[in-house]
């Protein structure tokens, strides 16, 4: 049986349909990358998996339990198996790096202060930031914040780590550091990873399997090699980073007639 | 056209009803956590920081407000009382107004601005930067972790701050009446003591407990439900202050009516000039 399963999940916000009958199974230990344009529902899908959002229709399952029907207390238990790296890190501004990483440990375990201190140091070492314990999140660079957020996500040794756009806003070098970290955590902790991204370099580097969300539906599901070779136009343009006529239509129609080739001909000067 | 109007009206009414429903669910959840873990040692350690933020940092602004209100009351009422030869009774009017109405209401309004705005901005920012979701994912209910301590701090410290406001109001009124306007000191305090009894002081403090609760609840709710981006947080802060202010004024009316009826039933009507 799959570790995580979405069955015909649909979600709308007002009149906007974000997910439209999405079905997906994720096996234990797999690294799944979800690609898709901005606003295609990738993060919404991720939030359904941990019960932050409930589907309008369909079912979400984790390890044989139906997540979308659990009570708050039951959900808290299920969420102990997840680590979540949010897009902006979501570190608590008022807490130091040490207190941030220690937060879930204090909430869920009865470890002593000394044990927590050691655990925090170990997790920060794993992301290459041991020694930053006393710093505040505001003193860290974007890449460091993401790495601290990753240390926080793995504090309870989760079975699944969800990454919401882990490389967004980072330069290529910092992005690669994050990609290497994702691979390292998979190797060392043997976790199941679900990475939402539109960074194709990152996707091809960390994925065992890639799916693409487009207009609320999964339009392709395959290995990185299969995605690279795909002839589906939407997938192909996304992988190559090429805008199509549909995306460019707005640019063309928004230009004033006087500036377009057909409407130009010096009309502007005459006026 | 009329159909569109009715449709818009209906949608707006439904939206308002939905917001009311959401607010009462939020209040219910806060009380549920208050009695189911909100007062556990793990949560109580969050209180001192909130006491400092809500209470200690509000003392100067509340004291200044109270003092000036007492002084203004003295200036405005002195001439009228002197005209009828009753300036010795100035203390009873000033102090009664301060401890019963102006002290608690203005202290609460100041807190709605200072504390309410800050709470909404803090929680709103946490909301738009996904920190509330991060708490949920880590199995820490944001209402237990963030709202309950702030609500308790607002409930307990608003009456404390009202005592400061009342005290400074009384001193402010005395400073203008006695040293500046020449009202005799002894009769001033004699009539003050005659006009203000424990009931009136307690009336103001009881009201301020509920004002504090309303400020805490409204400002946290607005922060939790703010729109996206900086403009969403800004709008939530404005709404938080306006809603808190309206609720304080409306609650004050109902408290005035209920507590006046209770007082009359127990002690009868007492005039200031008896």
């Amino acid at each position: 049986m799959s570790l995580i399963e979405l069955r015909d999940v649909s979600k709308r916000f007002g009149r906007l349909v974000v997910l439209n009958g999405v079905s997906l199974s994720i096996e234990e230990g797999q690294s799944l990358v979800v690609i898709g344009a901005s606003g295609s529902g990738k993060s919404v899908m991720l939030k359904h998996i941990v019960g932050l959002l409930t589907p309008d229709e369909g079912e979400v399952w984790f390890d044989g339990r139906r997540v979308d029907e659990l009570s708050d207390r039951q959900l808290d238990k299920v969420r102990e198996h997840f680590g979540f790296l949010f897009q902006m890190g979501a570190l608590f501004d008022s807490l130091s790096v040490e207190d941030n990483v220690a937060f879930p440990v204090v909430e869920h375990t009865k470890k002593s202060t000394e044990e927590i201190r050691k655990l925090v140091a170990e997790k920060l070492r794993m992301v290459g930031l041991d020694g930053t314990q006393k710093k505040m999140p505001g003193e860290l660079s974007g890449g460091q914040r993401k790495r601290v957020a990753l240390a926080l996500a793995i504090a309870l040794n989760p079975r699944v780590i969800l990454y919401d756009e882990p490389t967004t806003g980072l330069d290529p070098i910092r992005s690669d550091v994050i990609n290497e970290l994702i691979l390292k955590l998979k190797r060392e902790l043997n976790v199941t990873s679900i990475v939402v991204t539109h960074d194709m370099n990152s996707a091809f580097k960390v994925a065992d399997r890639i799916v693409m969300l487009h207009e609320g539906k999964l339009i392709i599901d395959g290995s990185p090699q299969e995605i690279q070779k795909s002839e589906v136009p939407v997938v192909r343009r996304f992988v190559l980073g090429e805008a199509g006529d549909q995306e460019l239509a707005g640019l063309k129609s928004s230009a004033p007639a006087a500036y377009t080739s057909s409407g130009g001909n010096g009309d502007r000067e005459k006026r | 056209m009329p159909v569109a109007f009715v449709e818009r009206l209906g949608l707006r009414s439904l939206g308002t009803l939905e917001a009311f429903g959401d607010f009462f669910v939020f209040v219910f959840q806060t009380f549920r956590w208050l009695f189911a873990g909100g007062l556990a040692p793990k949560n109580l350690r969050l209180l001192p920081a909130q006491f400092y933020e809500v209470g200690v940092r509000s003392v100067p602004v509340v004291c200044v407000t109270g003092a000036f209100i007492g002084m203004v009351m003295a200036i405005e009422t002195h001439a009228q009382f002197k005209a009828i030869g009753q300036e010795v009774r100035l203390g009873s009017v000033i102090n009664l107004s301060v401890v019963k109405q102006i002290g608690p209401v203005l202290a609460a309004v100041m807190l709605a601005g200072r504390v309410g705005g800050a709470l909404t901005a803090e929680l709103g920012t946490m909301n738009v930067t996904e920190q509330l979701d991060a708490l949920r994912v880590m199995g820490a209910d944001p209402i237990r972790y963030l709202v309950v301590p702030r609500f308790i701090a607002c409930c307990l410290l608003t009456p404390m701050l009202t005592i400061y406001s009342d005290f400074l109001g009384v001193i402010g009124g005395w400073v203008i009446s006695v040293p500046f306007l020449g009202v005799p000191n002894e009769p001033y305090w004699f009539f003050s003591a005659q006009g203000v009894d424990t009931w009136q002081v307690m009336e103001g403090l009881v009201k301020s407990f509920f004002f504090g609760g309303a400020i805490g609840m409204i400002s946290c709710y607005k922060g939790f439900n703010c729109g996206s981006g900086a403009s969403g947080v800004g709008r939530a802060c404005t709404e938080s202050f306006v809603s808190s202010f309206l609720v304080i004024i409306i609650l004050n009316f109902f408290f005035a009516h209920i507590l006046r009826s209770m007082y009359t039933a127990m002690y009868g009507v007492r005039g200031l000039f008896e």
Side-chain angles (χ1 to χ4, degrees):
Chain A
M1 191 181 178
S2 307
L3 182 64
I4 297 167
E5 203 174 343
L6 278 78
R7 296 180 189 163
D8 285 323
V9 169
S10 295
K11 182 74 179 176
R12 60 172 67 218
F13 295 108
R15 288 176 185 173
L16 181 70
V17 179
V18 181
L19 297 178
N20 190 5
V22 171
S23 293
L24 182 66
S25 298
I26 302 143
E27 305 303 323
E28 184 133 32
Q30 198 170 54
S31 284
L32 174 80
V33 171
V34 185
I35 58 171
S38 299
S40 61
K42 305 185 297 292
S43 300
V44 169
M45 192 177 92
L46 217 52
K47 288 181 178 179
H48 275 84
I49 294 172
V50 278
L52 286 175
L53 292 172
T54 46
D56 296 333
E57 287 165 39
E59 300 170 3
V60 181
W61 292 78
F62 170 73
D63 201 17
R65 304 178 77 180
R66 189 164 165 190
V67 174
D68 57 297
E69 285 189 335
L70 296 179
S71 67
D72 286 348
R73 271 174 207 278
Q74 290 168 322
L75 256 180
D76 285 349
K77 284 279 154 208
V78 167
R79 284 170 180 164
E80 284 178 26
H81 299 290
F82 286 91
F84 199 125
L85 177 67
F86 285 88
Q87 198 171 340
M88 290 177 278
L91 296 177
F92 305 121
D93 303 323
S94 56
L95 302 181
S96 65
V97 166
E98 184 168 37
D99 290 340
N100 263 290
V101 179
F103 189 91
V105 188
V106 174
E107 280 295 314
H108 291 286
T109 69
K110 296 196 188 311
K111 287 185 192 295
S112 68
T113 314
E114 187 54 29
E115 286 172 314
I116 293 174
R117 206 180 54 76
K118 280 184 185 163
L119 189 139
V120 169
E122 181 201 324
K123 299 299 172 188
L124 284 172
R125 205 173 304 121
M126 285 187 81
V127 297
L129 282 176
D130 191 16
T132 59
Q133 278 88 332
K134 298 298 166 208
K135 287 192 174 180
M136 298 302 283
E139 299 172 59
L140 304 174
S141 68
Q144 286 176 322
R145 284 174 72 95
K146 291 245 164 135
R147 281 149 72 189
V148 172
L150 201 44
L152 168 61
I154 58 173
L156 287 178
N157 297 324
R159 289 170 69 187
V160 184
I161 305 181
L162 308 176
Y163 302 86
D164 190 2
E165 313 228 357
T167 57
T168 297
L170 301 181
D171 63 60
I173 305 293
R174 301 279 184 285
S175 297
D176 201 45
V177 171
I178 297 290
N179 295 334
E180 288 294 343
L181 258 175
I182 294 172
L183 292 171
K184 181 185 171 190
L185 293 176
K186 192 193 168 195
R187 261 192 328 267
E188 294 181 5
L189 304 176
N190 194 29
V191 289
T192 305
S193 309
I194 305 176
V195 185
V196 154
T197 188
H198 39 58
D199 173 352
M200 290 315 298
N201 287 333
S202 176
F204 287 130
K205 185 155 191 174
V206 302
D208 298 337
R209 175 186 169 200
I210 298 178
V211 297
M212 180 167 174
L213 260 174
H214 181 69
E215 295 177 350
K217 287 180 180 293
L218 286 179
I219 55 165
I220 197 161
D221 183 345
S223 67
Q225 295 74 23
E226 286 168 337
I227 300 296
Q228 263 174 327
K229 287 177 195 157
S230 170
E231 293 298 324
V232 180
V234 180
V235 179
R236 190 156 178 74
R237 279 194 284 112
F238 192 86
V239 170
L240 295 174
E242 287 174 355
D245 290 342
Q246 199 185 337
E247 289 84 16
L248 294 172
L251 288 180
K252 285 174 185 163
S253 63
S254 65
Y259 292 95
T260 57
S261 53
S262 57
N265 299 331
D267 286 353
R268 197 162 162 262
E269 281 79 9
K270 283 176 199 166
R271 271 182 224 129
Chain B
M1 194 69 171
V3 174
F5 173 74
V6 171
E7 192 182 345
R8 268 204 312 276
L9 192 69
L11 276 174
R12 192 163 286 189
S13 309
L14 279 176
T16 309
L17 274 177
E18 209 172 300
F20 262 105
D22 278 350
F23 178 70
F24 285 108
V25 168
F26 186 81
V27 172
F28 171 77
Q29 286 177 331
T30 304
F31 276 94
R32 197 190 68 180
W33 274 115
L34 189 61
F35 299 111
L39 295 174
K42 199 165 63 175
N43 228 41
L44 287 181
R45 71 190 156 84
L46 304 169
L47 276 178
Q50 295 310 319
F51 282 167
Y52 178 76
E53 193 56 46
V54 173
V56 177
R57 295 191 64 184
S58 303
V59 169
V61 74
V62 165
C63 286
V64 169
T65 309
F68 275 90
I69 287 301
M71 291 196 279
V72 168
M73 286 286 296
I75 288 169
E76 290 293 339
T77 47
H78 176 259
Q80 299 294 324
F81 274 65
K82 196 175 182 186
I84 55 170
Q86 294 289 341
E87 69 263 41
V88 287
R89 291 177 183 268
L90 209 54
S92 59
V93 174
I94 294 170
N95 295 329
L96 184 66
S97 311
V98 165
V99 300
K100 215 178 154 184
Q101 292 295 339
I102 303 176
V105 170
L106 276 180
V109 170
M110 284 309 298
L111 288 175
R114 206 202 79 76
V115 175
L119 290 184
T120 305
E122 183 190 7
L123 299 180
T125 307
M126 289 184 78
N127 188 15
V128 298
T129 55
E130 295 183 307
Q131 291 177 51
L132 299 186
D133 277 346
L135 276 172
R136 290 185 187 102
V137 170
M138 286 186 279
D141 192 290
I143 291 186
R144 172 179 69 78
Y145 187 75
L146 298 171
V147 179
V148 170
R150 284 161 176 78
F151 175 66
I152 293 174
C154 286
C155 284
L156 295 183
L157 291 181
T158 308
M160 300 284 176
L161 290 164
T162 302
I163 292 173
Y164 280 92
S165 169
D166 287 355
F167 179 70
L168 267 293
V170 169
I171 298 294
W174 175 83
V175 165
I176 298 297
S177 304
V178 179
F180 279 90
L181 299 172
V183 176
N185 188 38
E186 209 173 311
Y188 181 89
W189 287 117
F190 172 77
F191 286 110
S192 294
Q194 220 180 31
V196 184
D197 56 24
T198 314
W199 175 277
Q200 268 101 27
V201 177
M202 291 311 294
E203 198 177 314
L205 297 183
V206 167
K207 283 196 295 195
S208 62
F209 176 83
F210 289 95
F211 292 160
I215 293 167
M217 207 50 90
I218 291 169
S219 49
C220 289
Y221 172 77
K222 290 289 180 187
F224 267 53
N225 292 279
C226 71
S228 59
S231 65
V233 177
R235 205 174 307 119
C237 290
T238 310
E239 286 173 6
S240 164
F241 176 71
V242 173
S243 305
S244 298
F245 182 75
L246 286 175
V247 169
I248 289 165
I249 297 297
I250 293 166
L251 273 181
N252 192 43
F253 166 76
F254 285 106
F255 273 116
H257 183 67
I258 293 164
L259 294 171
R260 165 57 49 194
S261 307
M262 284 169 68
Y263 186 83
T264 309
M266 284 194 279
Y267 303 109
V269 178
R270 262 180 67 191
L272 275 179
F273 291 90
E274 283 171 6

